[in-house]
């Protein structure tokens, strides 16, 4: 009888893993590479994100081609000349929320530190960023803002347009996850 | 028995805690439908229209020059003393429909055009981008020269189908079967040869040598006039247009620099009325500069 009970618990554990995952496919990532000469601030509203509340593992994925720019020509150059979207269509972040044990489902904002690897333009880079996590009845919202240096990802700005594009890019992330 | 249970529960709990890579694969969706972009840098390969469109709410201003023939001698600085000009304005009504208005100084022709993209490479895994181009040409000069002055005689039309494929990120190829119909046969030198219906097949491509520079070339054999089939190499009546050059993209502008044996810059002209011969140096240096203006 005791054994049956244990087996039942085991099945429960297998069934329950899906309850621990929170997901979205409509997260928002913007970046800002503006200079006094040119406003470069595209938006990507189709960012996928998944959080495993079991351990704080956090993964983002986005298609570079989904960044929408104000000027179509800018968007074309972004995909064609800078991030080379046909060779490297996706960017990912794979990491973990560091102080995950402190996380509570209490509806107030909590500061978190996220550590992981960004992969973009075929180059992987370790990154540690600060973020804010907020819970509601059924959702978890994550937001963060951090700077990246695009040369770190092998993206060079031609000398001719060096005054127009910032080499340090401010990235903002906003996602609201719902239970899978 | 207990050992087995411990072992099984280990397996079960290892399942319950997903690794980061598992999470990543969880996000991949299978119906990836990535449309191919930037098949060519510009809306023109050299003379030929490319499948590229002017973007929505953008006005693309293209200014083109063809200098005189290289064989016109040192006294004309190998053609640089003389130049013909074309100014064209293309406006993107949607991302897939462009209307254009242009004026060429050679033969004093004004043309109006519409260009539409029918399907984009990558949509439902379709291997090609296909577009259509139609233009009407109004000869402002011919009514002065023609013996019978009827307005309809001043018009001619070109219809073109463009089928292009971006083979890889550097190489793109295009074929453009074209039909030109003339309402008139005006008293220019070539009018002895052209017929009411002219069929040609444009073949063009580009190869990117760096992220801002590509090499372009195109060849446009005439293969039929009315119902007579024309051999692309062994014919004495027509010279086929051949051009070779490069695109240089500098942020806002695209500069196209090239050599071509067609001096005219409007479709009807370079498709059917090419006069220069590469063998005898009847080749023109030319350029197109395009600059889009955004009205969003």
């Amino acid at each position: 009888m005791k054994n049956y009970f244990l087996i039942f618990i085991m099945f429960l554990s297998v069934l329950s893993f899906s309850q621990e995952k929170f997901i979205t496919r409509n997260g928002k990532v913007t970046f800002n590479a503006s200079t006094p000469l040119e406003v470069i601030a595209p938006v990507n509203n189709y960012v996928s994100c998944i959080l495993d509340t079991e351990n704080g593992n956090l993964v983002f994925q986005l298609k570079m081609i989904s960044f929408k720019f104000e000027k179509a020509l800018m968007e074309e150059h972004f995909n064609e000349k800078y991030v080379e979207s046909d060779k490297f269509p996706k960017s990912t972040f794979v990491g973990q929320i560091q102080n995950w044990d402190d996380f509570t489902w209490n509806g107030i904002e909590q500061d978190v530190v996220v550590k992981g690897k960004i992969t973009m333009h075929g180059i992987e880079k370790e990154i540690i960023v600060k973020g804010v996590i907020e819970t509601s009845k059924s959702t978890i919202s994550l937001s963060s803002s951090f700077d990246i240096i695009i040369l770190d990802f092998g993206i060079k700005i031609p000398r001719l347009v060096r005054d127009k594009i910032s080499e340090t890019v401010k990235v903002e992330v906003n996602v609201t996850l719902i239970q899978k | 028995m207990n050992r087995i249970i411990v072992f099984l529960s280990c397996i079960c709990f290892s399942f319950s805690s997903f690794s980061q890579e598992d999470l990543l694969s969880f996000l991949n969706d299978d119906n990836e439908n990535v449309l191919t972009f930037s098949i060519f840098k510009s809306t023109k390969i050299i003379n030929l229209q490319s499948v590229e469109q002017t973007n929505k709410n953008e006005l693309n201003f293209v200014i083109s020059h063809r200098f005189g023939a290289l064989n016109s001698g040192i006294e004309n600085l190998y053609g640089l003393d003389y130049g013909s000009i074309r100014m064209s304005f293309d406006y993107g009504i949607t991302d897939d429909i462009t209307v254009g208005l242009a004026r060429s100084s050679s033969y004093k022709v004004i043309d109006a055009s519409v260009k539409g993209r029918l399907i984009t490479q990558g949509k439902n895994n379709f291997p090609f981008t296909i577009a259509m181009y139609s233009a009407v040409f109004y000869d402002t000069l011919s009514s002065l020269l023609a013996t019978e002055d009827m307005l309809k005689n001043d018009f001619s039309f070109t219809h073109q189908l463009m089928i292009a494929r971006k083979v890889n990120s550097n190489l793109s190829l295009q074929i453009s079967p074209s039909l030109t119909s003339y309402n008139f046969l005006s008293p220019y030198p070539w009018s002895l040869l052209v017929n009411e219906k002219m069929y040609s097949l444009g073949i063009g491509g580009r190869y990117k040598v760096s992220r801002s520079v590509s090499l372009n070339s195109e060849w446009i054999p005439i293969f039929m006039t009315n119902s007579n089939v024309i051999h692309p190499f062994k014919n004495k009546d027509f010279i086929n247009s051949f051009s070779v050059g490069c695109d240089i993209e500098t942020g806002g502008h695209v500069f196209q620099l090239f050599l071509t044996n067609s001096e005219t810059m409007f479709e009807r002209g370079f498709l059917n009325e090419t006069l220069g011969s590469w063998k005898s140096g009847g080749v023109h240096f030319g350029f197109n500069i395009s600059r889009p203006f955004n009205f969003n």
Side-chain angles (χ1 to χ4, degrees):
Chain A
M1 187 61 209
K2 194 179 116 194
N3 287 344
Y4 283 122
F5 179 72
L6 276 171
I7 286 166
F8 173 73
I9 292 287
M10 272 159 36
F11 270 111
L12 204 65
S13 77
V14 171
L15 290 174
S16 69
F17 70 75
S18 65
Q19 303 300 308
E20 312 297 337
K21 286 204 289 291
F22 282 72
I23 192 165
T24 183
R25 292 191 185 277
N26 297 303
K28 182 177 166 186
V29 168
T30 62
F31 73 80
N32 196 321
S34 299
T35 56
L37 287 176
E38 200 85 65
V39 175
I40 306 167
V43 185
N44 187 333
N45 282 316
Y46 301 98
V47 179
S48 300
C49 174
I50 187 164
L51 170 69
D52 190 344
T53 53
E54 183 77 16
N55 47 23
N57 279 346
L58 182 64
V59 170
F60 286 85
Q61 178 171 271
L62 59 80
K63 284 182 193 163
M64 299 309 269
I65 204 155
S66 302
F67 276 104
K68 290 296 151 209
F69 289 66
E70 201 172 320
K71 290 182 185 171
L73 190 67
M74 226 180 239
E75 189 171 311
E76 191 180 323
H77 290 167
F78 170 76
N79 288 302
E80 170 84 353
K81 294 179 66 182
Y82 294 94
V83 297
E84 299 176 88
S85 300
D86 46 1
K87 283 186 208 156
F88 312 107
K90 288 171 180 170
S91 290
T92 58
F93 171 84
V94 175
Q96 192 172 26
I97 298 176
Q98 291 299 288
N99 39 352
W100 185 247
D101 294 340
D102 303 340
F103 171 74
T104 49
W105 198 280
N106 59 5
I108 59 161
E109 286 188 2
Q110 299 161 63
D111 290 332
V112 289
V113 174
V114 182
K115 188 180 170 189
K117 288 174 290 189
I118 287 187
T119 308
M120 181 169 75
H121 197 238
I123 291 175
E124 189 179 277
K125 200 171 179 302
E126 289 271 347
I127 189 167
I128 299 173
V129 299
K130 285 179 183 166
V132 172
I133 189 163
E134 196 182 355
T135 58
S136 79
K137 240 179 207 162
S138 58
T139 64
I140 300 178
S141 299
L142 300 165
S143 60
S144 180
S145 173
F146 54 92
D147 288 351
I148 58 170
I149 296 161
I150 58 173
L151 199 61
D152 290 348
F153 295 94
I155 300 165
K156 292 187 192 110
I157 299 170
R159 207 180 313 152
L160 202 64
V161 292
R162 195 157 284 173
D163 297 339
K164 291 185 176 173
I165 306 170
S166 171
E167 290 190 320
T168 304
V169 171
K170 190 177 188 67
V171 182
E172 280 184 36
V173 181
N174 278 294
V175 292
T176 300
L177 309 171
I178 53 167
Q179 199 160 40
K180 169 96 184 148
Chain B
M1 187 65 196
N2 275 346
R3 274 188 196 167
I4 291 169
I5 285 171
V6 167
F7 177 69
L8 282 176
S9 54
C10 278
I11 289 175
C12 288
F13 279 102
S14 72
F15 269 120
S16 73
S17 173
F18 264 69
S19 80
Q20 293 169 340
E21 295 305 322
D22 290 335
L23 288 180
L24 185 59
S25 61
F26 212 85
L27 290 179
N28 284 323
D29 46 358
D30 294 329
N31 52 346
E32 307 273 297
N33 202 350
V34 177
L35 298 184
T36 303
F37 56 88
S38 303
I39 296 177
F40 293 96
K41 279 191 190 299
S42 161
T43 55
K44 291 194 148 216
I45 301 176
I46 289 175
N47 283 314
L48 277 177
Q49 294 284 340
S50 77
V51 289
E52 293 298 328
Q53 297 280 336
T54 302
N55 295 306
K56 188 182 179 184
N57 293 337
E58 254 180 28
L59 180 72
N60 192 26
F61 176 49
V62 185
I63 191 151
S64 308
H65 268 280
R66 302 292 182 272
F67 292 99
L70 292 185
N71 63 3
S72 59
I74 179 74
E75 69 274 24
N76 292 310
L77 199 60
Y78 306 102
L80 293 186
D81 278 0
Y82 166 79
S84 65
I85 187 173
R86 173 182 166 89
M87 285 181 286
S88 94
F89 298 89
D90 296 318
Y91 187 78
I93 294 174
T94 72
D95 281 337
D96 294 320
I97 300 172
T98 302
V99 290
L101 197 63
R103 187 347 177 115
S104 304
S105 68
S106 41
Y107 304 124
K108 316 286 182 193
V109 169
I110 294 171
D111 63 80
S113 65
V114 58
K115 186 171 166 182
R117 183 162 47 199
L118 307 176
I119 189 164
T120 304
Q121 182 183 338
K123 183 163 186 142
N124 303 325
N125 292 320
F126 196 74
F128 304 107
T129 292
I130 298 178
M132 289 275 300
Y133 176 84
S134 285
V136 52
F137 306 96
Y138 174 54
D139 277 52
T140 54
L141 196 61
S142 71
S143 55
L144 299 175
L145 300 173
T147 48
E148 195 182 352
D149 187 12
M150 285 169 68
L151 186 63
K152 86 172 181 63
N153 288 347
D154 300 337
F155 290 98
S156 47
F157 305 88
T158 291
H159 307 287
Q160 198 164 57
L161 186 69
M162 291 161 276
I163 304 165
R165 177 166 171 79
K166 194 174 187 178
V167 179
N168 57 43
S169 57
N170 293 328
L171 179 67
S172 301
L173 300 171
Q174 180 178 314
I175 58 167
S176 303
S178 312
L179 160 66
T180 302
S181 58
Y182 290 81
N183 275 2
F184 70 99
L185 295 174
S186 72
Y188 299 130
W190 40 261
S191 69
L192 297 171
L193 304 172
V194 297
N195 280 298
E196 287 83 358
K197 295 266 186 291
M198 300 280 291
Y199 301 86
S200 57
L201 181 70
I203 301 167
R206 74 105 189 245
Y207 189 81
K208 258 169 75 181
V209 290
S210 80
R211 62 176 172 168
S212 300
V213 179
S214 71
L215 300 178
N216 296 18
S217 186
E218 65 186 32
W219 178 55
I220 314 168
I222 295 163
F223 66 90
M224 220 159 98
T225 72
N226 288 349
S227 53
N228 311 315
V229 175
I230 307 286
H231 192 285
F233 300 105
K234 295 176 198 156
N235 85 80
K236 295 201 163 49
D237 296 340
F238 299 104
I239 299 169
N240 295 326
S241 175
F242 177 76
S243 316
V244 59
C246 65
D247 283 4
I248 302 166
E249 192 267 305
T250 65
H253 298 83
V254 179
F255 291 85
Q256 298 183 294
L257 312 172
F258 42 81
L259 291 170
T260 175
N261 59 342
S262 297
E263 195 237 344
T264 46
M265 289 166 266
F266 51 94
E267 271 64 23
R268 190 197 81 200
F270 65 78
L271 291 175
N272 312 304
E273 302 159 16
T274 296
L275 296 172
S277 151
W278 274 82
K279 274 181 199 152
S280 59
V283 175
H284 307 264
F285 173 64
F287 62 79
N288 304 329
I289 298 172
S290 66
R291 168 83 210 189
F293 295 93
N294 200 291
F295 289 98
N296 271 332

